[in-house]
């Protein structure tokens, strides 16, 4: 997902040009409308109108971390302290969760018994 003032249809031409030039893998860019379907494995990116759909940062501990499908280079991880120092990433006040705090237990998994 990408947020631009005006979105894909009414965005500033220079921002749209930059978005298209950065699209190195020929991903489909589609206007986001809210509650859009998941794009995992679809080569699809929703472009949201940031004037209509404001940015809400996730927990700080979830920013710039490796995910289940792979690890990222040190240069990627180095962005986090830089953005924190600039005030562009900040603590949200959200309660701790098991991903961010290894002392909290993960949610229980469902066990299905076949009889």
């Amino acid at each position: 997902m990408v947020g631009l003032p005006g979105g894909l249809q009414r965005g500033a031409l220079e921002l749209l040009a930059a978005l298209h030039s950065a699209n190195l893998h020929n991903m489909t860019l589609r206007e986001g409308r809210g509650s859009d379907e998941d794009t995992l494995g679809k080569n699809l990116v929703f472009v949201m109108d940031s004037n209509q759909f404001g940015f809400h940062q996730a927990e700080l501990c979830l920013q710039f971390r490796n995910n289940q499908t792979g690890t990222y280079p040190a240069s990627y991880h180095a962005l986090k302290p830089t953005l924190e120092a600039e005030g562009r990433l900040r603590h949200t006040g959200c309660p701790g969760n098991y991903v961010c705090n290894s002392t909290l237990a993960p949610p229980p998994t469902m066990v299905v018994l076949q009889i």
Side-chain angles (χ1 to χ4, degrees):
M1 176 185 349
V2 175
L4 297 175
L8 193 57
Q9 301 301 319
R10 296 163 303 286
L13 293 178
E14 64 274 5
L15 292 176
L16 292 171
L19 178 63
H20 285 286
S21 67
N23 189 359
L24 301 179
H25 300 286
N26 198 27
M27 296 175 285
T28 301
L29 303 175
R30 185 180 301 161
E31 185 81 16
R33 306 209 183 283
S35 299
D36 300 301
E37 74 265 15
D38 192 353
T39 62
L40 183 63
K42 295 182 180 179
N43 202 36
L44 169 66
V45 175
F46 286 108
V47 181
M48 308 299 291
D49 181 346
S50 60
N51 294 327
Q52 183 179 4
F53 298 96
F55 173 74
H56 298 278
Q57 178 189 302
E59 291 87 345
L60 190 59
C61 69
L62 297 175
Q63 306 298 315
F64 298 98
R65 55 181 279 129
N66 295 324
N67 64 26
Q68 301 90 336
T69 61
T71 57
Y72 299 103
S75 58
Y76 172 78
H77 296 289
L79 292 171
K80 183 179 176 182
T82 301
L83 293 173
E84 283 182 276
E86 293 175 352
R88 296 172 69 187
L89 280 180
R90 55 184 67 92
H91 289 279
T92 62
C94 292
N97 61 61
Y98 75 95
V99 174
C100 300
N101 185 345
S102 61
T103 63
L104 297 175
T109 56
M110 182 175 16
V111 176
V112 177
L113 299 175
Q114 292 185 344
I115 299 176

